[in-house]
Amino acid sequence: MKKILSAALALVCVWFATPARAALPSGYTQLEYIESERGAYIDTGISYGKFVHDIQFTIDGQRNLLGCGVSDSMFWEATDADRFIFSSSSNGYILGNPANRNIVEFSINTTEASLTVGNDTRTHTHSSTSNRTYLLFALNGSTTYSALAKLYSLKVYNDSDVLIQDLVPAKRNSDGAVGLYDTVSGEFFENSGSGEFIAGPVVEIKIATTKYNETKFSPLNTALQNAISVVDSVVSNTITQAGRIATLQAQKQTRPNDIADDNEKCPAGKKCLLVEDASGTPHWYEIVEQYSRLPEGFTELQYVSNAANTYLDTGIIPTVDNVVMEMKVKPSTNSWYIWQNRDPSNSVIHGFSGANTGSKISFAFPNDSVATSTITRTGNILTMRSTMLNGQGKLYVHDDATNESDEQTIAYTFSAETLPYYLFGNQRSDTVNSGNVVYYAKMYMNDELVMDYIPAKRNRDGAIGFYDLASQSFKQANHGSFIAGPVAQ
């Protein structure tokens, strides 16, 4: 009932708040966004603060830079279709798609700066300070670098988190100039560079009359009063019930076995909830804690490891030049081929591998092109990701224990292959080292999820393997036996 009341109140707020959004003064037309051409930019006049953008980039192969200085971490950019770049440090980027509409927060003061996209934040310190002001759609100090983007809004806060600038896309009616109107200062910010700003659609503003509101809100008011009446009743009963349960808790909750009826006792070692029925009789109900992404009949595990000479043929063949492979793994201390295809003559190699103790993580791309990470395989838990697209391969490795990340890029020549991937091995021989641990494995081809392996146990016979969410099927070892890790919590 609380949700009903909240939803009703929220609807009332929305209906009455919308007319007040008229926002801009006479002489200006509010737009949904403004879109920049290369070379166009706006000088906010502010050097330090928290800049919160509602923004969407056009990715055309060129750099899109915004900031208040050319030094490291005084600017940020959206260059590729899969990341926001912040600094030159090894973890100086955030994965995401700049071509989508995102909320991007860039904060900077005299000692450090940070970039936040979604729930991911990167922070970087800097020793040199800049008195340059923050530019939208360009980089202050080198405006030859500009951005191609749509801006829906920009809010700027000082170090006390006070809103000092609220820029709204707008058109000045007197001359048709397109820019941003600051609702805090009343100032209209125009283009300070070359190029042009393109006006987005006009924001429609509807003004509701008193008669309209009375008519529209009459059923809502009735429903709201009914909801309030129901909530009042529920709250009253809850208060009474809470008092009774508190008494029961003080007397019985700490000694569940005092109940005479064995069927009413809380089972040993279990968590139970004590609830009183309408007649005042207390009852124990066992709390069942369960977590799984898998269908009934399977138990999700934290990981699966392999015994000696144990491998799995996935049956998936890399026939396209757009493949993404990702997995979380704890490698064994011996040489390993964790996810690979290779024929007995060793002429086809593709996948993750590592030679022996202390070796670096590597990924083999088509035609013997190999990218090798700087991350040393030490038996830590690693997240590994590779991408192939248009002759450019990327290998990304992250060490959970050290929080160290590395990315390598390599050129390759694509040729369609005929051999499927093996997990924990390859086709060259049946000799596979034991002790590799896999937490999950995913694969995309042409942006379609073709493999999503979750460690699992089949309950009816205790078989250990992986449940593939992509094909909705259970995969067991083609040779040898898998070893179960703990049940997922």
Side-chain angles (χ1 to χ4, degrees):
M1 292 304 172
K2 181 178 180 181
K3 290 184 178 179
I4 296 175
L5 179 58
S6 300
L9 293 174
L11 185 57
V12 172
C13 294
V14 168
W15 273 94
F16 282 101
T18 301
R21 194 187 170 196
L24 304 187
S26 176
Y28 295 91
T29 299
Q30 185 173 346
L31 308 173
E32 287 187 19
Y33 58 81
I34 62 171
E35 185 173 2
S36 64
E37 294 181 347
R38 294 287 182 191
Y41 67 87
I42 284 177
D43 189 341
T44 66
I46 298 173
S47 299
Y48 301 114
K50 180 172 68 175
F51 300 83
V52 183
H53 316 70
D54 186 349
I55 195 167
Q56 181 178 12
F57 289 91
T58 298
I59 303 301
D60 62 353
Q62 299 186 50
R63 301 177 72 182
N64 295 288
L65 283 77
L66 300 84
C68 56
V70 296
S71 299
D72 196 24
S73 81
M74 290 186 178
F75 66 89
W76 63 282
E77 63 177 296
T79 303
D80 298 323
D82 63 349
R83 69 191 56 206
F84 298 84
I85 300 175
F86 172 49
S87 76
S88 61
S89 61
S90 61
N91 66 340
Y93 61 86
I94 296 174
L95 293 177
N97 189 352
N100 295 333
R101 185 173 171 181
N102 291 277
I103 301 298
V104 181
E105 178 183 308
F106 176 72
S107 297
I108 185 169
N109 56 36
T110 57
T111 59
E112 69 176 18
S114 66
L115 184 71
T116 299
V117 182
N119 296 322
D120 203 348
T121 298
R122 295 288 184 273
T123 301
H124 189 76
T125 58
H126 45 242
S127 57
S128 59
T129 59
S130 171
N131 293 322
R132 294 193 181 102
T133 52
Y134 184 78
L135 300 188
L136 276 170
F137 307 112
L139 178 62
N140 202 337
S142 182
T143 53
T144 54
Y145 290 106
S146 58
L148 200 61
K150 294 177 181 178
L151 184 74
Y152 294 83
S153 69
L154 175 73
K155 296 181 185 293
V156 186
Y157 301 83
N158 64 15
D159 57 3
S160 299
D161 211 31
V162 175
L163 182 67
I164 57 175
Q165 207 170 68
D166 188 357
L167 301 181
V168 178
K171 179 180 72 175
R172 188 167 56 200
N173 299 339
S174 61
D175 58 1
V178 176
L180 299 171
Y181 185 89
D182 182 15
T183 60
V184 176
S185 66
E187 179 181 357
F188 182 67
F189 288 80
E190 299 182 60
N191 180 15
S192 297
S194 59
E196 300 290 339
F197 286 134
I198 302 170
V202 173
V203 173
E204 294 185 9
I205 301 172
K206 298 180 180 179
I207 307 298
T209 63
T210 302
K211 181 63 177 176
Y212 177 86
N213 285 335
E214 289 176 352
T215 302
K216 282 292 183 181
F217 285 112
S218 178
L220 179 60
N221 286 332
T222 300
L224 181 60
Q225 291 303 317
N226 291 337
I228 291 173
S229 177
V230 172
V231 170
D232 285 344
S233 176
V234 171
V235 170
S236 177
N237 292 337
T238 300
I239 292 173
T240 302
Q241 180 81 339
R244 292 175 179 174
I245 290 177
T247 301
L248 288 169
Q249 180 181 13
Q251 297 174 353
K252 293 289 185 181
Q253 188 115 18
T254 56
R255 301 179 64 191
N257 289 329
D258 283 357
I259 297 178
D261 187 350
D262 288 340
N263 294 324
E264 291 293 333
K265 293 179 180 179
C266 181
K270 300 293 185 178
K271 297 178 182 179
C272 297
L273 178 66
L274 185 61
V275 179
E276 186 184 52
D277 63 22
S279 65
T281 303
H283 302 275
W284 289 97
Y285 293 91
E286 181 181 343
I287 299 173
V288 179
E289 298 177 304
Q290 185 176 2
Y291 163 81
S292 182
R293 290 170 287 179
L294 308 185
E296 186 177 354
F298 295 90
T299 298
E300 182 172 344
L301 307 175
Q302 293 183 28
Y303 57 79
V304 160
S305 60
N306 71 320
N309 302 328
T310 300
Y311 57 84
L312 166 63
D313 181 352
T314 69
I316 299 174
I317 302 173
T319 57
V320 299
D321 182 20
N322 181 2
V323 179
V324 177
M325 300 168 67
E326 181 178 330
M327 68 188 311
K328 191 170 186 178
V329 60
K330 183 177 182 181
S332 71
T333 56
N334 301 308
S335 60
W336 58 291
Y337 301 96
I338 192 69
W339 192 357
Q340 202 172 72
N341 66 347
R342 175 166 66 169
D343 69 13
S345 66
N346 202 29
S347 61
V348 177
I349 303 177
H350 187 198
F352 291 108
S353 64
N356 47 43
T357 304
S359 69
K360 305 295 193 289
I361 300 301
S362 63
F363 187 90
F365 292 92
N367 294 314
D368 296 326
S369 300
V370 179
T372 301
S373 170
T374 62
I375 303 294
T376 300
R377 179 165 57 90
T378 59
N380 292 334
I381 297 175
L382 307 174
T383 299
M384 306 187 298
R385 184 172 184 261
S386 75
T387 61
M388 292 195 322
L389 181 62
N390 299 328
Q392 185 181 59
K394 293 182 180 180
L395 168 64
Y396 170 80
V397 182
H398 177 78
D399 189 324
D400 284 8
T402 64
N403 202 33
E404 181 183 2
S405 298
D406 177 58
E407 182 175 275
Q408 300 291 328
T409 302
I410 191 171
Y412 67 89
T413 302
F414 175 75
S415 58
E417 300 177 17
T418 59
L419 295 174
Y421 289 108
Y422 276 32
L423 197 62
F424 297 103
N426 57 48
Q427 295 89 338
R428 189 180 184 192
S429 69
D430 289 341
T431 304
V432 179
N433 287 298
S434 62
N436 290 296
V437 176
V438 172
Y439 293 81
Y440 71 84
K442 292 185 178 183
M443 186 188 302
Y444 297 82
M445 287 192 184
N446 288 337
D447 300 322
E448 177 185 357
L449 182 65
V450 297
M451 172 178 159
D452 190 358
Y453 279 12
I454 304 297
K457 179 181 73 172
R458 188 166 57 195
N459 297 339
R460 62 178 172 83
D461 58 1
I464 305 301
F466 295 89
Y467 191 90
D468 182 15
L469 295 178
S471 64
Q472 296 293 304
S473 61
F474 183 63
K475 308 291 184 180
Q476 293 180 256
N478 296 87
H479 190 280
S481 301
F482 287 133
I483 301 170
V487 174
Q489 297 296 323

